[in-house]
């Protein structure tokens, strides 16, 4: 009945123009051909009736959950309309869907970023050693395949013709041989810039040099570029323009280059990042190597706050980035120790929680250890190579887990998966062991009257079938993760 009413409203009622129509959804979405697609639509108005029209063949409207789902077989650009009716007034949003097997980031990247531990020491030797480590310790086989340099890879100034230059001492052979070495290992290579004259650490940025930089990056065989926003004007409109200039420059060169937007969530990039050419965007300040960093920094606790209410903006080729993982640092980093009270570092349960949540959120994942310090332990590798959790992060439907509840110091998320399975996580935010119960009536992705096979994703163990609810014990600051199959 709700679906029928929605359709009639769409056909019969006039569009009401409004500055904010209450709809909360992505305007540009992506999918791969013949891969299950899902887009969730939300409204700030509890009594809103939401519907759609003009869906391409293969997609359907799920009125119970307010989402579009299905498969589009043929590549192409499609449009459909989402409408919301509130007290008889209807407003609309047009959605653009791009279906392609050549998307810049069909899956969130899994790799390494130099900043937390290496900072201005980043060099050809360090980049190569990380690639070697990924191969040697099983990380590459588990899916870790992107090696990225952060700030301070640059020379003190540009060449006379304006082209960017790497530091000649740390990169004596320039960057093409570095990229070729990484590619030779089967991995992707990335670097860093800023949408201003200067980067966060004072090196030259790309503002005004977007096309020159894009052409040089292409010649160096760069695959992905992280673009910061230090020393730039604070307004959202200005940020949109600056990132779009860089995104357009990347699209204009022969080699595909992925734009990774890093303006820390201050200007809500999930609303405009895809339209500016980005495939992922940071949602918070730099994450520190601590469980919590209030009031000045971002730890795991603050990451949860930043991510929990923006899941509807995530999908294939448009990912919310929760920033670098601290697993493997053990308090031995540099910038990762800033803005935190007390001794830096986390327990293994806390590192495991960070990893599990990043997987649930489909966040890009970047390790940030110093390869010279060899701080990664066997316990770390056990976390980072867990194939069951990585499968959640790399699920081809690209959904971010929905926040379900945070009652009684237990944070619950639920994640839709391409094959119809549902992943559930519960994080114990307290300092004492707790017992958590998943109530299926509270989780829209589940049917309370159906029985599900249940697998513990930390151990891989297949548990007893569950129906309506099930209960688990959770250690302090730990996260339990389960995968439910019909």
């Amino acid at each position: 009945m709700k679906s029928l009413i929605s359709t009639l409203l769409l056909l019969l009622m006039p569009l009401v123009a409004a500055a904010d129509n209450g709809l909360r959804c992505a305007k540009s979405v992506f999918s791969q051909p013949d891969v299950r697609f899902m887009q969730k639509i939300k409204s700030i108005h509890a009594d809103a009736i939401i519907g759609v029209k003009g869906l391409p063949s293969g997609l359907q409207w799920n009125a119970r959950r307010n989402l579009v789902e299905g498969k589009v077989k043929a590549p192409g650009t499609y449009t459909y309309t989402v409408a919301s009716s509130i007290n008889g007034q209807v407003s609309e949003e047009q959605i653009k869907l791009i279906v392609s097997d050549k998307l810049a980031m069909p899956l969130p990247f899994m790799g390494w970023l130099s900043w937390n531990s290496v900072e201005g020491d980043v060099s050809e030797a360090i980049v190569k050693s990380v690639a070697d480590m990924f191969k040697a310790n099983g990380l590459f086989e588990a899916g870790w395949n992107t090696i990225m340099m952060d700030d301070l890879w640059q020379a003190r100034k540009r060449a006379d013709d304006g082209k960017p230059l790497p530091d000649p001492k740390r990169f004596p052979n320039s960057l093409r041989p570095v990229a070729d070495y990484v590619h030779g290992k089967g991995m992707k290579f990335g670097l860093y810039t800023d949408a201003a004259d200067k980067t966060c650490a004072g090196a030259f940025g790309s503002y005004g040099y977007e096309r020159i930089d894009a052409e040089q990056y292409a010649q160096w065989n760069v695959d992905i570029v992280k673009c910061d926003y230090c020393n730039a004007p604070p307004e959202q409109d200005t940020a949109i323009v600056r990132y779009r200039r860089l995104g357009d420059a990347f699209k204009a060169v022969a080699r595909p280059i992925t734009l990774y937007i890093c303006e820390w969530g201050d200007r809500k990039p999930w609303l405009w990042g895809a339209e500016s050419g980005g495939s992922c965007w940071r949602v918070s300040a730099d994450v520190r190597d601590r469980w919590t960093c209030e009031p000045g920094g971002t730890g795991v606790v603050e990451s949860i706050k930043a991510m929990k209410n923006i899941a509807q903006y995530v999908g294939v080729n448009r990912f919310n980035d929760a920033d670098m993982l601290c697993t493997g640092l053990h308090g031995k980093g540099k910038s990762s120790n800033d803005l935190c009270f007390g001794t830096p570092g986390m327990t293994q349960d806390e590192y495991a929680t960070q990893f599990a949540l990043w997987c649930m959120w489909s966040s890009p994942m970047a390790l940030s250890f110093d390869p010279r310090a060899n701080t990664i332990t066997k316990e770390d590798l056990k976390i980072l190579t867990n194939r069951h959790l990585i499968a959640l992060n790399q699920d081809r439907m690209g959904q971010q887990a929905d926040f379900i509840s945070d009652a009684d110091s237990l944070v619950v998320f639920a994640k839709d998966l391409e094959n119809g399975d549902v992943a559930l996580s519960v994080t114990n935010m307290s300092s004492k062991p707790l017992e958590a119960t998943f109530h299926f009536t509270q989780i829209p992705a589940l049917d309370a009257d159906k029985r599900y096979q249940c697998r513990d994703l930390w151990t891989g163990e297949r548990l007893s079938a569950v129906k309506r609810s099930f209960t688990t014990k959770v250690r302090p600051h730990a996260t339990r993760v389960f995968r439910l199959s019909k």
Side-chain angles (χ1 to χ4, degrees), residues 208-221:
Y209 293 87
E210 291 87 357
R211 186 59 185 265
I212 291 174
D213 286 1
E215 290 175 349
Q216 184 61 69
Y217 298 162
Q219 291 177 23
W220 284 335
N221 278 352

Side-chain angles (χ1 to χ4, degrees), residues 228-429:
D228 231 327
Y229 203 66
C230 290
N231 304 305
E235 298 81 14
Q236 184 189 71
D237 290 348
T238 303
I240 293 172
V241 171
R242 291 194 175 206
Y243 280 112
R244 183 176 293 152
R245 285 175 60 172
L246 199 57
D248 289 346
F250 288 170
K251 292 176 182 177
V253 296
R255 180 180 180 81
I257 300 176
T258 302
L259 174 60
Y260 167 10
I261 294 172
C262 181
E263 58 72 77
W264 328 297
D266 293 345
R267 285 151 285 271
K268 300 182 179 180
W270 47 88
L271 300 178
W272 50 265
E275 289 77 14
S276 291
S279 294
C280 63
W281 35 81
R282 281 271 298 281
V283 302
S284 72
D286 292 4
V287 168
R288 310 300 181 179
D289 190 8
R290 288 282 287 169
W291 174 250
T292 182
C293 277
E294 289 184 339
T298 301
V300 175
V301 172
E302 292 74 36
S303 293
I304 293 172
K305 293 177 182 178
M307 291 288 277
K308 72 178 187 179
N309 293 319
I310 52 176
Q312 67 270 28
Y313 298 103
V314 167
V316 172
N317 199 45
R318 50 169 306 126
F319 298 106
N320 289 328
D321 171 40
D323 196 24
M324 292 170 278
L325 292 168
C326 294
T327 309
L329 291 182
H330 300 289
K332 304 298 184 182
K334 295 182 179 178
S335 63
S336 55
N337 294 343
D338 294 345
L339 304 177
C340 296
F341 298 104
T343 304
M346 291 191 276
T347 68
Q348 284 302 104
D349 274 340
E350 291 167 346
Y351 284 128
T353 283
Q354 189 184 54
F355 177 70
L357 291 176
W358 267 235
C359 289
M360 288 290 290
W361 294 334
S362 290
S363 172
M365 296 195 293
L367 302 175
S368 53
F369 59 85
D370 187 338
R372 301 166 298 184
N374 195 27
T375 57
I376 290 187
T377 67
K378 290 182 180 180
E379 289 76 18
D380 297 332
L381 289 173
K382 187 176 180 181
I383 294 171
L384 298 172
T385 58
N386 182 301
R387 63 185 179 89
H388 300 292
L389 287 166
I390 289 173
L392 303 185
N393 182 268
Q394 297 290 288
D395 187 79
R396 294 195 301 171
M397 198 163 66
Q399 290 294 294
Q400 179 175 319
D402 291 309
F403 169 71
I404 302 299
S405 65
D406 59 1
D408 301 320
S409 298
L410 293 165
V411 176
V412 177
F413 286 96
K415 179 182 178 74
D416 289 278
L417 301 170
E418 182 198 2
N419 71 346
D421 289 359
V422 178
L424 303 177
S425 72
V426 56
T427 303
N428 182 353
M429 307 299 290

